[in-house]
């Protein structure tokens, strides 16, 4: 099993930046996908960004393209989400997730989430 733990959330003003970190416990295989989702109150959980663990393929939701960047440290089992030029609509709980292949058909492991709040 894979264990995931997010950190780095907080309260920032619009236009500010945050970097989220996901620490993965257990073996992460090359065909796995590491992804960030977010869920605002009373909203569906939505995919924000994803990266292939064994390669360089990435995906970004249209709403964050040009502002967010996903990266990884394979040696340390870490995945990051650099969030720049934050907007109030980015406010959500952000979750790290793992799919078992690239591209993923589903996500099997989830962290507990970290709150990001962007004030205007």
């Amino acid at each position: 099993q894979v264990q995931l733990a997010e950190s780095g959330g907080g309260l920032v003003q619009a236009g500010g930046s945050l970097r989220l970190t996901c620490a993965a416990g257990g073996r992460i295989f090359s065909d796995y996908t590491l992804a960030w989702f977010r869920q605002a109150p009373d909203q569906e959980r939505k995919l924000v960004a994803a990266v292939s663990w064994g390669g360089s393929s990435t995906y970004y939701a249209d709403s964050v393209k040009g502002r967010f960047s996903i990266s990884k440290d394979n040696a340390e089992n870490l995945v990051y989400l650099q969030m720049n030029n934050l907007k109030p609509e980015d406010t959500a709980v952000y979750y790290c997730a793992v799919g078992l292949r690239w591209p993923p058909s589903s996500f099997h492991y989830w962290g507990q989430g970290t709150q990001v709040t962007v004030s205007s």
Side-chain angles (χ1 to χ4, degrees):
Q1 296 186 354
V2 176
Q3 299 175 5
L4 303 171
E6 305 95 335
S7 62
L11 174 64
V12 298
Q13 292 182 315
S17 298
L18 284 173
R19 188 177 77 163
L20 306 183
T21 299
C22 174
R27 294 291 301 274
I28 309 298
F29 295 94
S30 62
D31 57 345
Y32 280 14
T33 296
L34 276 294
W36 288 96
F37 287 75
R38 68 186 184 189
Q39 187 169 22
D42 299 319
Q43 300 291 322
E44 295 181 336
R45 189 171 296 185
K46 299 178 180 178
L47 177 63
V48 175
V51 63
S52 169
W53 191 248
S56 58
S57 298
T58 59
Y59 166 85
Y60 296 96
D62 288 343
S63 59
V64 306
K65 286 181 179 177
R67 299 188 298 120
F68 290 11
S69 179
I70 190 168
S71 60
K72 58 190 174 72
D73 184 338
N74 293 79
E76 299 294 332
N77 275 16
L78 297 174
V79 61
Y80 304 99
L81 185 67
Q82 179 66 46
M83 305 185 294
N84 298 324
N85 191 24
L86 283 160
K87 304 175 180 180
E89 52 262 44
D90 296 318
T91 295
V93 177
Y94 284 71
Y95 298 89
C96 183
V98 172
L100 300 185
R101 59 191 59 83
W102 180 272
S105 58
S106 61
F107 291 87
H108 292 77
Y109 303 101
W110 298 84
Q112 294 297 308
T114 185
Q115 176 71 47
V116 172
T117 302
V118 184
S119 64
S120 60

